[in-house]
Amino acid sequence: MAAKRVYFFGEGKAEGHGQMKDILGGKGAGLAEMTKLGVPVPPGFTITTEVCTEYYDNNQKYPKDLKKQVDTAMAKVEKIMGAKFGDPENPLLVSVRSGARASMPGMMDTVLNLGLNDVTVKALIAKTNNPRFAYDSYRRFVQMYGDVVLDLKPVDKHDEDPFEVILENKKKKYGVSLDTELTAEHLIELIEEFKAAIKEKTGKNFPTDPMEQLWGAIGAVFGSWMNERAIVYRKLNNIPAEWGTAVNVQSMVFGNMGDDSGTGVAFTRDPASGENIFYGEYLFNAQGEDVVAGIRTPHPIAELKKDDPVIYKELDGYRTLLEKHYTDMLDIEFTIQQKKLWMLQCRVGKRTGFAAIRMAVDMVKEKLISKEEAISRINPEQLNQLLRPIFDGAEKQKTISEGKFLAKGLNAGPGAASGKVALNAQDAVEMAAKGDKVILVRIETSPEDIKGMNSSEGILTARGGMTSHAALVARQMGKVCVAGCGALKINYKEKSFTVEGKAIVIKEGDYISIDGSTGEVLAGKLETKPSEVIQVLISKTLKPSQSNVYQTYASLMGWADKLRTMNVRTNADQPDQSANAIAFGAEGIGLCRTEHMFFGGDRITSVRKMIVSDSVEERKAALDELLPLQREDFEGIFTVMGERPVTIRTLDPPLHEFLPHSDKEIEELASELKITGKKLKEKIESLHEFNPMLGFRGCRLGVAFPEITEMQARAIIEAAVNVARKGVKVKPEIMIPLVSHVNEFKLQEDIVRRVAKEVMKEKGKKIKYLVGTMIELPRAAITANEIAEHAEFFSFGTNDLTQTTFGLSRDDAGKFLPEYVNREILPNDPFESIDQNGVGQLVEMGTKRGRSVRKNLKVGICGEHGGEPSSVEFCHRTGLNYVSCSPFRVPIARLAAASAVVNEMKTKKKNKSKHKKKKASKKK
Ligand code: ADP
Ligand code: MG
Ligand code: MG
């Protein structure tokens, strides 16, 4: 049997369904599902994504049987509609719509009213008795077809759309300002001029044969899959090129048939705040993209309740029905044709992180979804949006009273941002590359602006609503956005903008501030202040009961903590950092870097003395100065951390990092040490290394200078005993860095245990402690079973392990690594997200080998990866006991650890049902 390439939907029946996004694309799957639910959807059919893939694999040729399948499906649509595609008397008109698996806003273009020509337009007039409508549809068709299929759309940002120019001139000529004011006669002129423009630019006549039009449009949809905008978008969103797009051919319904017709888009909840209210916009006597294009300002959906209560009620009913069915917030499109409502699209709606979290928590409380589902719906990174700064209210008021308030637009993407104005995407990219914070200001954005939007802190547009391109994309990227700020008069040529009714001129490079939660735009650079969650948890200036945002956060994190099996610790080396981390939910310290303490106060002098000393005695004397200081630091940390485990790493970095570099500093140190500057310089030079990253560092220091390890062990154990005396069950874990051979570890372990014994004897108090190691060299991972004979815990230092596994230094990688990621030589920056197939294999092997000799070996990870969601999930799968990350990423790691559990449950379920199916088919 021939492969099924075309899926029909219409009149309550559909060959596909909502779960078939892979094959039908998101739009096609949604249309099929809505049809099946009994929602009124104009009939049509979907050409599968597989055809797109085949088309590209086959030198851009269609599979042989495609035409036949399209004809068959078209016949079904014709039967329902009682009209025939291309028929001169009774023509069926269709739209050709693209739709990939993942929605790609604005990437692919739709052609409406296809099938019109000079003959069929007459039939449309006869049928509707409405020439203005028929010619309006026709001129839109010629324009869209010219733009999308015949490539007349401008590529350069300075070029103008030729059709828009003709349209503007026509409006000027007849002294009207709105498209809707043009009469049928004006529109006939327009159509002729459009066609002439096409002929002039392409040398070809506008195709009059509907079949030719149809296949031209289908080809254009497939073609757009490989256009540059689509490729950029896919790259930014990790969408593989092999997925392909589907094509939907659907019979037309008309929102431009007069004032009892209209079109709109809506979200079933507020996509910016997450609030459970019906949220959207519509326009009467309009078609397709008019609402989002920002040509006329649309009405908020709440007004439809007054304008047409019957339609509103029906629409609101579908809102409830669809939300219940999909158990998620949806983004819907509808058209009203002469008081009859049609649904044209539904898909799970894009939302801010802020909204995602609120909706997920609300839906659990509404019993729409489970807690597990709520967790799996939130990308842990989105928590950042709850933690993101807001403007300080007082500071904002002050700015406003200084007359710096510029205008107010729509609050399309929450958060606060200030930065330098960039008036086009390219400038935004360049300014950001120089390290400037940028606010991209555009009349409206389009897909070619995506790179610039990505480089900006915030986006401000003059036109377009809450569902405009700028708003959609900003919300998805998690950017601050104020859209549709109509008072802005932007002049691209002069590279500046003014504000209606104000004298001020803002030039590119000037600072502005935008508040995406209120829509306010202000001149100048406004300071931001911490989010509500931070105010509750960290600065404690807000009570939990005063903040809804905090309460939502707390519910979610509570559920995550119940689910997750992996612990989350933090990397901290100061008491205040540790306290913050606990507020964020840290359950211990996974990495306390002792050397960070060496820079505080005038300690550095003692450290420098220790380094440049020539004899053991001198070194010991310097270390004696450091001992009480380090002890004090550890006491502070143990006191804050209480009974939570605290992993302290002994000295790790190469010594020259602590030495002075400028002549002045060197002279100062020399006089302090009572030696000559020359001698000190020689000493410093002797410590120079060609490759410090692979040089004299880590446990190698402690092996060469055991007295350093001795001092540190003493400081840790003395501090632990002192704090334990106050009744706290401290849990110190002493960690030896950069071990490659078990013998190095043994030497260091001996020192630690000997000193610990001495201290406990001196103080007359025993405490429990562990001695373990970092696994950050491939040799350590390979010989983990030898090391685990002695080490009581492992902590994978995945920063160094990544460097040493790849054989590259992170400090030098900036020259080529970004290029590697750009060209997809590497899928990700391995310092951001753990390289699961390489470095990850060493982690897995090290864990297995270690536990083969010590069953209960405690294993964690303390590199930057510990707070990156996909790496956290990897750690969970590998059976690690904990991840450790910086304090502000602790909530993200907690949520990621929980969603790893949810994903695991989902995979198990899938495998089970696969297994069952296999069994069942065997029985047959
Ligand atoms: P996008 O993927 O950019 O959302 P769509 O395919 O949804 O593009 O179409 C663009 C606009 O045209 C939408 O407003 C949609 O509702 C409208 N539209 C598409 N097909 C039809 C149709 N058959 N009848 C009426 N309007 C349509
Ligand atoms: Mg759409
Ligand atoms: Mg290291």
Side-chain angles (χ1 to χ4, degrees), residues 27 42 94-98 104-112 250-255 263-265 287-290 333-335 344-345 347:
K27 202 173 284 165
V94 297
S95 65
V96 176
R97 320 170 65 184
S98 66
M104 296 170 57
M107 289 288 116
M108 307 284 183
D109 293 300
T110 292
V111 179
L112 301 176
Q250 188 175 24
S251 43
M252 283 302 302
V253 289
F254 300 98
T263 179
V265 293
Q287 189 176 45
E289 307 275 63
D290 289 1
E333 289 176 3
F334 60 92
T335 282
L344 283 164
Q345 192 171 326
R347 61 182 164 195

Side-chain angles (χ1 to χ4, degrees), residues 649 652 697 737-738 774 776 797 799-800:
R649 178 176 71 184
D652 182 48
R697 57 168 289 214
L738 214 77
M774 277 182 94
E776 48 190 338
N799 297 342
D800 269 313

